[in-house]
Amino acid sequence: MELPDILAKSDPRERLVDHLAATLDGALALRRRVGEIALMEQVTEGRFWSAICLAALCHDAGKIPDGFQAMLRGATRSWGERHEVVSLGFLPALVEDEALLAWVSTGVATHHRSLEGGRGSLIGLYGGLSVAEWRDRLRPLPDLVAVQLLDWLACTAKCAGLPASSLTPEELDVVGEARRVFELLLDRWELPAHPDEGLAAVLLQGAVTLADHVSSAHGSLHGVQPIGARFRPLLEKAFAEKGQTLRPHQAEAAEADGHLLLRAPTGSGKTEAGLLWAAAQVAEIARRTGGVPRVFFTLPYLASINAMAVRLGKLLGDDALVGVMHSRAASYHLARAICPEDGDDERVEAAKKAVSRAAATRLFRETVRVGTPYQILRGALAGPAHSGTLIDTANSVFVLDELHAYDPQRLGYILATARLWEQLGGRIAVLSATLPDALARLFQDLLDHDVRLVEASTEDAPLRHRLGLRKRHLTDPASIGEIRSRLAAGDSVLVVANNVADSQLLFTELEANADAAFLLHSRFRRMDRSALEQAIAERFGVGRDRLPGLVVATQVVEVSLDVDFDCLFTSAAPLEALLQRFGRVNRIAARPPADVIVHAAAFAPRRRGGEDVADGVYPRTPVETGWHILTHHDGLAVDESNARLWLDEVYATEWGQEWRAEVLRNQTVFTEAFLGFAHPFVSRDELTERFDELFDGTEAVLERDRDAYEADLAAGHKAAGRLLAERYLVPMPNWATPLTRWEKRLGVRIIDADYDERLGLGAVHGPAAQVYQAGEVL
């Protein structure tokens, strides 16, 4: 067998040399896109990208053994060994610089498995074995092919301008050299690494793994950033066509150099200001690093992410330039691709394309991406599965829109990661209509480089809302009667409850009184929620003809829909949440101040005990403090310039001091647990489970939908079929997992529960029902 006959992949078949060349091309493309990472070049003494490219070139050289080739050709089911350890045997003849060899071997060995811990770790498989044992397990190996491959590797490396030796040794002992390099590698990473070295190792691993995945998928990385030097003229032209110009805070953001804190009310062009800032930072980072910075725009809710992706696609003139980063990205692409009249064949074809588009984003193709902060935070899990996220964030621009300051745990984690982004050459902006000084100070204290605070003027801002307080609960009969009177008057009414159970109760009481009524919360099947959001946007969207009707919702409405109502009735909540809810009413100030009515919350401990919470959701102190502040403005029109002062008053309390301490504690916890990288190649399976518990919920299929789910799985091939079936999934929090049963054959959780297309998930039945109380918030 000759080198051209050696395979790297079996389905479809791909020659080894073709795959190695494509992976090197992927690494070179990644180098051009990321650019020079100053800290990494310092740590590796200028070897960082050379090590990545050489490791990408050599990562699968160890696939030449007869056993591996027999597996690829179907002669045997499994080889049972790891090809990456064999790949190490080619490196000493190729890399003369010992320090460079250490980094290259690190990238080669770790692109699939952890060195230590977890399933099939390399130490567990090969640590402590003698040379003879290595030879028994890894040979036979075609010696002629090995020499040919080494010559090809040396020639290819030289042509790419990489520091590789072109001298072929008289004898090539691939397995013996592989064991020697493996032992050196274990010695290198046995003791805790310096934090910067550990980070460099993880980034190197991520770059090699990403280049490998791009090569295997026959994909490519976008090499142009549309939000760059040409973006401001594009936006100014779009404004001019509408008879508008940049507002002062937008122009100021566009001129800022460094990190940004932007405080701007709803309707003031906050998003455009953030994008103008991002364009300026892209130009500066590109000049400094020679790369193509990526822009990450994060939002807290899926619906708002989807809407922003559409908005950016229109603004940039091509939605293919924008990636969607969240757990349901493929569903988003499918929803945009299908029409109601499509048949089964059209749906399957659309599902295949949607899967491909989402897969391209997971391979970091686009240079503009919209998602949740937590999708980017997953890079902290490192390892072969997540380290690619970290290398992609280097020298990037991050726009964090509408951070929820009152959640100290998640905010602490985001702060910790923002500091890492800065270390890797990134720039961070925080955009908020209600940015409290306490949150601004956290970012100013955390980040080393300049943090510019830009505020939109509110001097001429029209008064949009008139505040009213009710000491009774939102579900009180008198409250329901007041809402009915507004519906009878022909108003469009938004009612926001703090939990699902209250929202369902209110909807049941009120729907008969409305010309059109909708209930929106997080416990609907995906397809039902998508239909609800579309129907709500069509009837109550900003700029549409005013129509009467009712929407009852939970927190999901706060920043997820661009809607506009005549009045609001809401349960008391933290001030940030209330101000977001107010923003759904008289959104563009086209009318006199509209009523926003806030009802007292009910306080009680959660079922497992502990401190009192508002309606089972929010901590008591910030809700009560906010309520006390609002009592001074009951019956008055709300001046939005006062909103920050209200928030500052909340955070100036003893609770605010405790909140700050809790944020900083969580920042430290996340840094030490996830961002230390002292042992960069020890399995992080346990950390992954902890992360998923913090940020990811679970999903289940109703017992009544089980057969339909299975039919959809069979309708499309693999991922496409699963995507079609996902329309039946109902989101649930992780703690609700015991209410479900796992069906291994279908790969999904099943829940036996009441469900109504108008009301969503109801009471749970079956063996797990005793741990669920009717009306409890899922």
Side-chain angles (χ1 to χ4, degrees):
M1 187 179 293
E2 299 287 328
L3 180 59
D5 302 318
I6 299 296
L7 298 179
K9 309 283 182 183
S10 59
D11 186 21
R13 287 197 172 190
E14 183 179 16
R15 297 192 312 160
L16 178 61
V17 291
D18 293 335
H19 175 63
L20 294 180
T23 306
L24 173 59
D25 287 343
L28 292 168
L30 186 63
R31 178 179 188 172
R32 290 190 295 271
R33 195 163 84 158
V34 173
E36 181 177 312
I37 309 172
L39 177 62
M40 297 301 100
E41 295 299 336
Q42 178 183 341
V43 170
T44 63
E45 297 180 315
R47 299 178 175 91
F48 184 69
W49 283 111
S50 293
I52 288 169
C53 293
L54 285 168
L57 174 63
C58 301
H59 75 292
D60 277 358
K63 289 184 174 181
I64 67 171
D66 293 351
F68 195 93
Q69 291 299 306
M71 179 183 69
L72 291 182
R73 287 176 164 79
T76 182
R77 184 174 180 180
S78 174
W79 181 39
E81 304 295 341
R82 299 303 310 171
H83 67 273
E84 55 264 45
V85 297
V86 181
S87 300
L88 297 175
F90 290 89
L91 301 183
L94 196 66
V95 183
E96 296 176 334
D97 179 349
E98 288 295 317
L100 179 60
L101 175 63
W103 288 110
V104 176
S105 61
T106 295
V108 168
T110 63
H111 75 277
H112 281 307
R113 297 286 182 92
S114 61
L115 287 181
E116 182 178 353
R119 182 181 65 86
S121 71
L122 297 182
I123 288 180
L125 291 172
Y126 300 103
L129 298 182
S130 67
V131 176
E133 289 171 312
W134 273 60
R135 296 190 197 282
D136 288 342
R137 290 177 58 169
L138 300 174
R139 291 185 68 89
L141 184 150
D143 294 330
L144 176 60
V145 169
V147 173
Q148 292 173 338
L149 179 56
L150 180 59
D151 286 340
W152 181 88
L153 291 171
C155 180
T156 304
K158 285 292 185 182
C159 291
L162 300 176
S165 171
S166 58
L167 298 176
T168 303
E170 294 182 4
E171 293 186 7
L172 184 60
D173 181 6
V174 173
V175 175
E177 287 291 84
R179 181 185 179 278
R180 182 176 72 83
V181 175
F182 185 72
E183 293 298 322
L184 292 174
L185 193 63
L186 298 188
D187 289 342
R188 172 69 178 81
W189 299 111
E190 180 181 10
L191 298 177
H194 183 279
D196 291 345
E197 284 196 330
L199 176 59
V202 170
L203 292 173
L204 187 149
Q205 177 191 46
V208 175
T209 303
L210 178 54
D212 183 24
H213 289 172
V214 169
S215 167
S216 296
H218 303 286
S220 61
L221 302 174
H222 286 181
V224 176
Q225 175 52 263
I227 302 177
R230 298 180 180 179
F231 179 77
R232 181 170 179 173
L234 174 70
L235 187 62
E236 289 179 327
K237 179 182 177 183
F239 275 16
E241 291 172 353
K242 300 177 182 179
Q244 302 172 355
T245 59
L246 294 187
R247 300 179 182 181
H249 66 280
Q250 293 172 331
E252 188 178 353
E255 299 298 330
D257 181 18
H259 307 302
L260 174 71
L261 299 173
L262 176 66
R263 185 184 289 129
T266 300
S268 65
K270 172 167 56 74
T271 298
E272 288 80 3
L275 293 173
L276 286 165
W277 168 85
Q281 309 320 303
V282 164
E284 171 56 25
I285 293 174
R287 183 196 63 77
R288 173 167 45 88
T289 68
V292 182
R294 279 74 61 221
V295 173
F296 296 89
F297 200 107
T298 75
L299 289 152
Y301 295 117
L302 297 188
S304 55
I305 291 167
N306 296 344
M308 180 57 68
V310 173
R311 184 176 176 183
L312 284 177
K314 291 179 179 178
L315 186 61
L316 299 174
D318 185 356
D319 63 3
L321 298 173
V322 182
V324 178
M325 293 179 58
H326 58 63
S327 58
R328 303 178 195 170
S331 295
Y332 160 79
H333 293 302
L334 178 62
R336 299 203 69 209
I338 61 174
C339 301
E341 60 270 18
D342 283 349
D344 290 342
D345 291 344
E346 289 86 357
R347 290 182 63 86
V348 170
E349 186 61 30
K352 291 178 181 177
K353 292 179 180 178
V355 167
S356 297
R357 178 72 188 275
T361 298
R362 285 196 299 272
L363 287 175
F364 314 108
R365 180 183 65 175
E366 300 94 349
T367 54
V368 179
R369 266 163 275 160
V370 188
T372 66
Y374 315 113
Q375 290 295 320
I376 316 176
L377 261 61
R378 294 193 75 87
L381 296 173
H386 302 289
S387 53
T389 300
L390 272 188
I391 186 66
D392 189 53
T393 60
N395 294 333
S396 288
V397 177
F398 304 86
V399 182
L400 310 180
D401 197 4
E402 301 300 352
L403 285 184
H404 285 174
Y406 53 82
D407 185 341
Q409 184 180 49
R410 298 189 182 201
L411 179 58
Y413 295 170
I414 290 171
L415 282 168
T417 311
R419 186 161 194 167
L420 176 62
W421 293 336
E422 183 186 48
Q423 282 183 286
L424 296 177
R427 300 279 177 90
I428 299 105
V430 177
L431 317 183
S432 177
T434 58
L435 180 69
D437 282 348
L439 178 58
R441 283 194 295 271
L442 282 171
F443 276 93
Q444 288 167 335
D445 294 344
L446 171 84
L447 300 172
D448 292 330
H449 296 296
D450 291 340
V451 180
R452 179 85 165 268
L453 175 61
V454 174
E455 298 191 65
S457 173
T458 57
E459 288 184 6
D460 299 323
L463 300 179
R464 296 189 297 156
H465 308 123
R466 182 173 53 251
L467 176 66
L469 298 184
R470 305 290 185 267
K471 293 183 180 180
R472 57 182 181 263
H473 195 263
L474 185 62
T475 59
D476 187 276
S479 303
I480 294 173
E482 185 177 5
I483 299 170
R484 283 184 176 135
S485 68
R486 298 301 292 262
L487 291 169
D491 287 342
S492 58
V493 180
L494 174 63
V495 179
V496 183
N498 286 338
N499 61 58
V500 174
D502 284 351
S503 71
Q504 290 173 327
L505 184 154
L506 288 161
F507 181 78
T508 302
E509 290 287 333
L510 293 166
E511 64 170 325
N513 303 103
D515 290 3
F518 305 91
L519 173 64
L520 182 65
H521 56 70
S522 58
R523 307 298 172 227
F524 281 98
R525 295 182 302 186
R526 287 192 188 182
M527 60 181 175
D528 296 332
R529 178 163 174 178
S530 295
L532 280 168
E533 289 177 343
Q534 182 176 350
I536 291 170
E538 288 177 355
R539 187 174 183 91
F540 303 107
V542 173
R544 294 182 178 273
D545 293 338
R546 305 205 57 73
L547 295 172
L550 169 72
V551 170
V552 180
T554 58
Q555 299 90 331
V556 298
V557 79
E558 288 175 10
V559 293
S560 62
L561 293 174
D562 191 15
V563 288
D564 189 9
F565 293 86
D566 290 322
C567 61
L568 165 73
F569 294 86
T570 177
S571 294
L575 273 178
E576 291 100 322
L578 287 180
L579 292 168
Q580 291 287 0
R581 296 175 191 184
F582 292 178
R584 308 303 112 182
V585 175
N586 198 12
R587 192 158 173 79
I588 56 176
R591 304 179 303 284
D595 288 330
V596 290
I597 310 299
V598 182
H599 291 257
F603 296 100
R606 287 197 173 98
R607 186 158 53 90
R608 296 181 180 86
E611 297 181 357
D612 283 357
V613 291
D615 296 326
V617 177
Y618 298 111
R620 178 169 193 147
T621 302
V623 175
E624 281 192 331
T625 305
W627 175 270
H628 176 72
I629 292 169
L630 293 180
T631 59
H632 301 300
H633 306 274
D634 187 13
L636 302 177
V638 176
D639 183 347
E640 296 193 33
S641 63
N642 289 330
R644 178 178 63 84
L645 301 178
W646 297 354
L647 291 172
D648 290 343
E649 188 174 340
V650 172
Y651 287 101
T653 62
E654 183 178 347
W655 172 85
Q657 299 305 310
E658 294 172 356
W659 166 87
R660 178 181 171 86
E662 183 68 7
V663 171
L664 295 176
R665 187 186 71 80
N666 281 293
Q667 176 194 330
T668 301
V669 166
F670 194 79
T671 299
E672 293 178 349
F674 291 89
L675 304 179
F677 306 121
H679 296 282
F681 303 119
V682 173
S683 170
R684 292 191 159 205
D685 290 347
E686 180 182 343
L687 289 181
T688 302
E689 292 177 7
R690 286 171 56 188
F691 190 95
D692 290 344
E693 289 173 0
L694 288 170
F695 297 120
D696 291 344
T698 188
E699 291 181 299
V701 171
L702 297 165
E703 181 70 51
R704 76 179 204 188
D705 290 334
R706 184 194 169 284
D707 291 345
Y709 180 86
E710 184 173 9
D712 270 2
L713 282 180
H717 178 65
K718 295 181 181 179
R722 187 158 296 279
L723 174 58
L724 289 171
E726 284 178 356
R727 58 182 169 158
Y728 293 102
L729 292 174
V730 180
M732 298 171 66
N734 254 320
W735 62 259
T737 300
L739 304 178
T740 69
R741 75 172 191 277
W742 175 253
E743 185 150 336
K744 184 177 181 180
R745 187 173 66 84
L746 298 181
V748 72
R749 297 192 177 279
I750 306 292
I751 186 167
D752 185 9
D754 293 338
Y755 186 86
D756 184 283
E757 282 76 5
R758 293 157 41 257
L759 297 176
L761 191 66
V764 178
H765 307 294
Q770 69 273 12
V771 300
Y772 174 82
Q773 297 179 2
E776 184 175 353
V777 182
L778 277 180

